[in-house]
């Protein structure tokens, strides 16, 4: 699904890309529709607000048929507001400030919830899915091509809802890679990493529970420990694959890492913590347990040299769901 400049240049690699994203060896099917406001309403092309590509929180949005929101708000919302079960799904956040609309102005150490339907609608509007997904997909492709003119999509448009969901996820990740690899901006990648981790954590949680019931999963101390270890292994493996194909530089000298040591060198004894992932100034921790800003591990994340602005706790939806913790005040 990726163009040559980003390392994805053949239908064969496109099939492999699909396998990494969905775990399926055949063309997947399905997706929900989300309106993408990040384009110039005059010509449909991707654009930035004054200030260049680093002004993503204030991008120009099309207001035709949509209500404007203040800079830093979640995204534009359909004119119907909250009238329908899927009204909130027509959003396409490209920064975490839009994913967590209460972040701006929140106190240090605050717990933030993502906006409703960030991970998809509760009930798909099947009669609208195909046409709206095609239109939304075309917008994302145009945005990516505006950054990387060599970008090409080889994957055919899916025929089922689930396939279209995976299709849009892949397009959004391609756009995020373009921003990071070619513009040096990690913020869209932070959003898509969160979305990817939530889907993979939920999937691994269901697989782990099934393995426990069948007696195929055992922990040294408890079933909870066994399940948590299973989720960690599955999610980290898939995240490494996601970043490596096509390539996103991920090593100790770059701001994107998977299970890397984050050192704190300000103290006399050099210590470190190990988040599951780091993207720029954001740390991600996939876990079964509910964690708070007062815990040693979370304090260690914030005290590390890369000084994250926020730590995102990714939990299975069935176990309570995910949230973010803002940097505590000193």
């Amino acid at each position: 699904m990726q163009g040559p400049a980003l390392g994805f240049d053949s239908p064969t690699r496109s099939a492999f890309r699909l396998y990494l994203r969905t775990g399926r060896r055949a063309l997947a099917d399905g997706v929900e529709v989300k309106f993408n406001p990040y384009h110039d309403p005059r010509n449909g092309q991707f654009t930035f607000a004054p200030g260049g590509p680093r002004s993503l929180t204030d991008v120009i949005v099309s207001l035709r048929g949509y209500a404007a929101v203040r800079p830093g708000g979640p995204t534009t919302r359909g004119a119907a507001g909250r009238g329908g079960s899927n009204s909130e799904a027509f959003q396409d956040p490209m920064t975490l400030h839009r994913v967590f609309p209460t972040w701006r102005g929140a106190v240090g150490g605050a717990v933030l919830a993502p906006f409703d339907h960030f991970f998809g609608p509760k009930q798909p509007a099947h009669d609208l899915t195909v046409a709206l997904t095609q239109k939304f997909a075309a917008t994302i492709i145009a945005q990516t091509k505006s950054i990387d003119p060599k970008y090409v999509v080889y994957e055919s448009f899916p025929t089922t809802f689930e396939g279209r969901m995976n299709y849009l996820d892949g397009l959004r990740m391609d756009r995020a890679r373009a921003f990071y690899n070619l513009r040096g901006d990690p913020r869209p990648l932070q959003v898509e990493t969160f979305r990817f981790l939530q889907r993979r954590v939920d999937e691994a949680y269901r697989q782990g529970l099934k393995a426990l019931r069948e007696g195929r999963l055992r922990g040294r101390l408890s079933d909870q420990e066994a399940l948590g270890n299973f989720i960690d292994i599955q999610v980290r493996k898939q995240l490494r694959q996601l970043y490596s194909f096509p390539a996103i530089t991920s090593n100790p000298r770059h701001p994107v890492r998977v299970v890397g040591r984050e050192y704190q060198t300000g103290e006399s004894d050099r210590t470190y913590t190990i988040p599951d992932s780091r993207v720029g100034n954001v740390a991600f921790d996939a876990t079964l347990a509910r964690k708070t800003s007062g815990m040693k591990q979370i304090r260690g994340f914030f005290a590390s040299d890369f000084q994250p602005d926020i730590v995102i706790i990714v939990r299975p939806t069935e176990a309570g769901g995910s949230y973010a913790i803002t940097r505590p005040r000193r």
Side-chain angles (χ1 to χ4, degrees):
M1 173 175 301
Q2 187 68 39
L6 296 182
F8 204 84
D9 56 5
S10 73
T12 301
R13 289 187 177 183
S14 181
F16 181 62
R17 169 76 167 82
L18 183 68
Y19 169 72
L20 290 182
R21 197 174 71 247
T22 67
R24 298 182 179 180
R25 298 182 183 278
L27 279 180
D29 319 19
V31 165
E32 167 56 354
V33 187
K34 298 187 180 180
F35 172 71
N36 186 348
Y38 301 99
H39 65 277
D40 189 332
R42 296 166 296 184
N43 54 23
Q45 295 180 350
F46 177 81
T47 186
F48 298 101
R54 297 192 180 281
S55 300
L56 273 176
T57 54
D58 298 308
V59 293
I60 297 174
V61 299
S62 172
L63 302 182
R64 184 179 304 172
Y66 290 83
V69 294
R70 68 186 184 280
T75 47
T76 55
R77 181 184 303 144
R82 297 181 180 271
S85 63
N86 289 303
S87 61
E88 294 286 337
F90 291 85
Q91 302 185 40
D92 181 31
M94 292 173 66
T95 70
L96 289 175
H97 276 96
R98 294 183 180 273
V99 174
F100 300 101
T102 59
W103 186 356
R104 292 186 184 277
V107 299
V111 174
L112 312 176
F115 69 81
D116 291 342
H117 297 296
F118 170 63
F119 300 109
K122 296 179 181 178
Q123 295 180 344
H126 290 288
D127 54 335
L128 301 177
T129 298
V130 175
L132 291 178
T133 303
Q134 288 177 322
K135 185 175 182 179
F136 179 51
T139 300
I140 300 177
I141 292 170
Q143 291 174 350
T144 307
K145 285 185 176 180
S146 72
I147 301 172
D148 175 18
K150 296 181 180 180
Y151 176 73
V152 177
V153 179
Y154 292 103
E155 185 179 340
S156 60
F157 189 78
T159 58
T160 69
F161 180 83
E162 183 183 356
R164 291 189 291 271
M165 178 76 74
N166 293 327
Y167 182 71
L168 285 191
D169 282 350
L171 292 181
R172 280 188 293 245
M173 181 58 74
D174 288 345
R175 180 181 61 187
R177 283 193 181 93
F179 266 104
Y180 180 72
N181 285 345
L182 303 180
R183 301 278 188 176
D185 193 330
R187 287 177 291 177
L189 186 60
Q190 292 167 347
V191 173
E192 299 313 319
T193 295
F194 182 26
R195 197 194 308 272
F196 179 86
L197 282 174
Q198 185 67 66
R199 296 201 191 285
R200 298 289 81 81
V201 165
D202 284 348
E203 179 183 343
Y205 181 70
R206 291 189 293 268
Q207 292 175 349
L209 286 178
K210 184 174 184 294
L212 277 175
R213 288 194 298 267
E214 296 173 352
R216 296 183 289 108
L217 197 62
R218 288 185 173 86
R220 186 164 54 93
L221 299 178
S222 66
D223 287 351
Q224 191 80 349
E225 177 200 33
L227 182 57
N229 290 339
F230 177 82
I231 292 173
D232 283 344
I233 292 172
Q234 295 298 313
V235 169
R236 292 171 179 181
K237 176 182 177 181
Q238 293 174 12
L239 190 59
R240 286 192 178 98
Q241 291 175 327
L242 180 74
Y243 287 161
S244 65
F245 192 87
I248 287 179
T249 302
S250 177
N251 61 51
R253 296 186 302 276
H254 289 80
V256 176
R257 306 181 64 184
V258 179
V259 197
R261 292 184 178 184
E262 299 297 343
Y263 286 93
Q264 179 184 356
T265 57
E267 304 293 336
S268 56
D269 294 330
R270 194 182 189 207
T271 61
Y272 64 86
T273 55
I274 306 178
D276 288 310
S277 178
R278 167 197 168 184
V279 182
N281 59 349
V282 177
F284 296 88
D285 183 60
T287 179
L288 287 177
R290 185 166 184 85
K291 298 184 178 180
T292 68
S293 60
M295 291 182 173
K296 181 179 179 180
Q297 180 192 36
I298 305 303
R299 294 202 310 269
F301 291 161
F302 283 117
S304 60
D305 291 348
F306 86 97
Q307 294 288 294
D309 291 333
I310 195 169
V311 172
I312 297 181
I313 308 299
V314 186
R315 302 178 70 212
T317 302
E318 297 177 30
S322 300
Y323 55 93
I325 301 174
T326 62
R327 166 173 284 282
R329 293 179 179 175
R330 293 185 179 276

